[in-house]
Amino acid sequence: MHDQQKRGQRIAVIGAGVVGMATAYHLAERGHDVTVIERAKAPAEGCSFANAGIIAVGHAESWAGPAAPAQMIHALLGRTPSVKISKLMDPQLWRWGLAFLRQCSARAHRENSGAMAWLARHGRQELQALEQATGLAFEQGHDGAYYLYGEESAFAARKASDHLEGFSPMSAEELTQWDPALKVYGDRLKGGLLSSVDSKGDCRRFTRALALWLEQYRQVTFHYGATVTGFERGQGRVSAVQTTNGPVPCDQVVIAAGVGTVALGKQLGVRPLIYPVKGYSATYPIRDGAYMPARPLVDETNLIAVTRLGSYLRVTAIAEFAGHDSSPNPERAAYLDDYVARHFGCAVELDAVTHWAGLRPTTPSGRPYLGRLRTHSNVWLNAGHGQLGWTMAAGAGQLLAERLHGAQSPSYGVSETARWLIAA
Ligand SMILES: Cc1cc2nc3c(=O)[nH]c(=O)nc-3n(C[C@H](O)[C@H](O)[C@H](O)COP(=O)(O)OP(=O)(O)OC[C@H]3O[C@@H](n4cnc5c(N)ncnc54)[C@H](O)[C@@H]3O)c2cc1C
């Protein structure tokens, strides 16, 4: 099909999370007639609701690696507060876990992390371009972030790793001189990286603002409160998306349904490997900003992220394998409250906290499914961005729109774990 014919197609995007919305933006910018279908009553009610808010280029590393099997055994024995396996007898977890183990070699780790780092940087660049084009405000900041280490050995290993472009290693003394608010970490701080390539922003606010902008300036249609239940299909193509509010006819479909992508894949005879990895966040009103670090930070020893988003402090942690249960567990919420009380108790209103839990749509390799389904020539996946969906969304949306127009992007290829499913 020629590029001109490809413009002006009716494209149904399933999912109004940050990934679906960024995809809708890039498709609408290319002149398509876009309809977004979302089962919730508003955008960003799923995993994009209250994440850490970091455009975290510095965290673009696959969880699957040579050290991961031992870490999983520790988690099974209940020895790590940051990783929990609460639903061991879950067949979906076993299938996912076996694929995860196959991605733990040093070679696979290097390749997957390299691809994630590329997409993370691309995502940040595309987010800034989108911001300029739309003028949206979402508590954004592009001043970088801190990655803090409480163990010398882990800090040394990070300094020796690849992908350090844009990251300056600093001693604990240098860090606290740079930002006195980091003194709260005391002797436990052994060093860290000052990144100039990370950003921050409120993901939910961004997603909602973009939805309004798309409706107003690009005539994108939104069906909220509409659950996708199936597809009308024939001859390897989908002609309409069936929803609880009736069918939506379409020329192309993009599934950007986060952890809901697996159930939708089943309707099309495929089973994408996306596991819901639960994470927790706590949000506190800031009482005294003078005690807050100037940039978002990741405490690499405790695997906790801390971000100031306007007049709020957002703290997130924990990877819990608990199936599709997204209810916040009080014990895990208390873990976050305790951390904040110890480090930022003077800065925030501890009693006015809001807790939340969300399901990260996580693939075994850490790389999202980004391309056309092998089984259906007009169905596309943009799902499985795991711990980095906010970081990658704008870049992944742009790549998907480009691929729909037939462009290849050799810088971000299809991962080994996705080749059976994704054609382009
Ligand atoms: C605690 C925590 C902290 C995080 N911190 C960061 C961070 O700092 N930086 C970062 O980059 N990422 C972070 N993430 C990850 C990021 O939040 C996710 O990767 C991202 O939100 C995924 O977006 P999504 O659009 O794919 O999924 P979602 O936001 O879940 O959107 C999918 C949408 O599809 C809809 N849907 C599903 N099935 C159907 C159906 N059948 N019919 C209609 N609609 C359907 C859902 O209702 C949902 O709204 C964090 C995640 C967590 C949990």
Side-chain angles (χ1 to χ4, degrees):
M1 199 187 289
H2 296 297
D3 197 51
Q4 254 176 346
Q5 283 171 282
K6 282 183 182 159
R7 288 180 189 278
Q9 295 192 75
R10 295 166 308 165
I11 305 186
V13 176
I14 305 173
V18 68
V19 173
M21 207 58 74
T23 309
Y25 169 80
H26 284 290
L27 291 169
E29 287 301 277
R30 284 162 181 74
H32 294 295
D33 176 6
V34 181
T35 300
V36 178
I37 307 165
E38 168 56 54
R39 66 183 168 197
K41 295 272 186 272
E45 292 289 302
C47 195
S48 307
F49 188 84
N51 64 24
I54 310 180
I55 304 300
V57 173
H59 242 210
E61 187 180 356
S62 175
W63 285 350
Q71 284 162 354
M72 282 299 175
I73 291 169
H74 273 266
L76 274 170
L77 297 172
R79 290 195 190 143
T80 63
S82 53
V83 184
K84 300 281 173 195
I85 301 177
S86 316
K87 199 178 175 197
L88 185 57
M89 290 303 140
D90 178 356
Q92 201 194 338
L93 177 58
W94 280 82
R95 183 168 169 259
W96 185 93
L98 289 172
F100 179 85
L101 285 175
R102 283 198 290 274
Q103 295 300 307
C104 283
S105 69
R107 183 190 59 81
H109 180 72
R110 203 172 39 250
E111 277 178 23
N112 290 328
S113 301
M116 290 168 72
W118 185 88
L119 188 52
R121 285 177 193 262
H122 183 59
R124 181 175 185 250
Q125 208 176 320
E126 285 295 329
L127 178 68
Q128 287 176 323
L130 187 157
E131 225 181 288
Q132 282 203 338
T134 59
L136 298 182
F138 50 96
E139 308 294 1
Q140 65 265 53
H142 298 293
D143 297 336
Y146 307 117
Y147 291 85
L148 307 181
Y149 290 84
E151 289 162 4
E152 304 274 12
S153 54
F155 183 37
R158 180 69 191 262
K159 280 192 286 187
S161 69
D162 303 336
H163 315 300
L164 270 190
E165 197 188 328
F167 296 87
S168 312
M170 287 175 128
S171 66
E173 209 173 37
E174 285 168 330
L175 277 166
T176 49
Q177 266 171 17
W178 185 272
D179 190 337
L182 296 176
K183 283 184 182 156
V184 291
Y185 287 96
D187 292 348
R188 295 183 308 282
L189 183 61
K190 304 297 181 206
L193 300 177
L194 171 64
S195 148
S196 61
V197 290
D198 290 89
S199 297
K200 68 166 184 177
D202 186 325
C203 181
R204 179 177 181 234
R205 213 176 139 185
F206 167 83
T207 309
R208 293 176 82 113
L210 184 55
L212 289 177
W213 189 91
L214 286 172
E215 200 166 17
Q216 192 172 357
Y217 296 110
R218 294 292 179 271
Q219 289 71 50
V220 170
T221 305
F222 287 89
H223 294 305
Y224 293 115
T227 301
V228 175
T229 52
F231 302 91
E232 278 167 33
R233 55 196 173 117
Q235 295 172 329
R237 290 179 68 81
V238 163
S239 54
V241 176
Q242 292 161 344
T243 82
T244 44
N245 296 0
V248 177
C250 57
D251 302 312
Q252 307 279 343
V253 184
V254 181
I255 303 179
V259 294
T261 302
V262 180
L264 291 171
K266 265 190 202 157
Q267 303 278 347
L268 295 165
V270 295
R271 290 198 298 161
L273 281 160
I274 296 177
Y275 195 80
V277 181
K278 193 171 176 178
Y280 290 79
S281 79
T283 307
Y284 312 80
I286 293 173
R287 190 163 15 115
D288 189 343
Y291 294 101
M292 294 305 317
R295 293 167 180 77
L297 67 88
V298 179
D299 174 340
E300 294 279 11
T301 309
N302 296 297
L303 296 177
I304 288 183
V306 178
T307 317
R308 181 180 182 160
L309 294 168
S311 55
Y312 289 90
L313 177 73
R314 171 82 44 81
V315 180
T316 69
I318 303 169
E320 182 176 11
F321 295 79
H324 281 265
D325 169 18
S326 64
S327 58
N329 169 323
E331 202 182 308
R332 318 253 189 274
Y335 173 71
L336 290 178
D337 288 342
D338 176 58
Y339 184 90
V340 173
R342 282 187 287 120
H343 296 90
F344 303 105
C346 302
V348 302
E349 305 280 0
L350 285 169
D351 294 338
V353 62
T354 310
H355 291 121
W356 171 81
L359 302 175
R360 303 177 184 94
T362 309
T363 63
S365 65
R367 295 164 67 173
Y369 292 112
L370 187 50
R372 187 164 54 79
L373 272 190
R374 281 191 182 278
T375 51
H376 293 80
S377 60
N378 66 339
V379 179
W380 302 76
L381 290 193
N382 193 0
H385 303 70
Q387 76 273 26
L388 287 176
W390 176 212
T391 305
M392 293 172 170
Q398 185 269 350
L399 280 187
L400 192 119
E402 288 290 303
R403 284 179 186 183
L404 201 137
H405 280 252
Q408 297 296 320
S409 29
S411 311
Y412 187 80
V414 177
S415 71
E416 212 175 273
T417 47
R419 267 186 208 124
W420 60 277
L421 184 69
I422 296 289

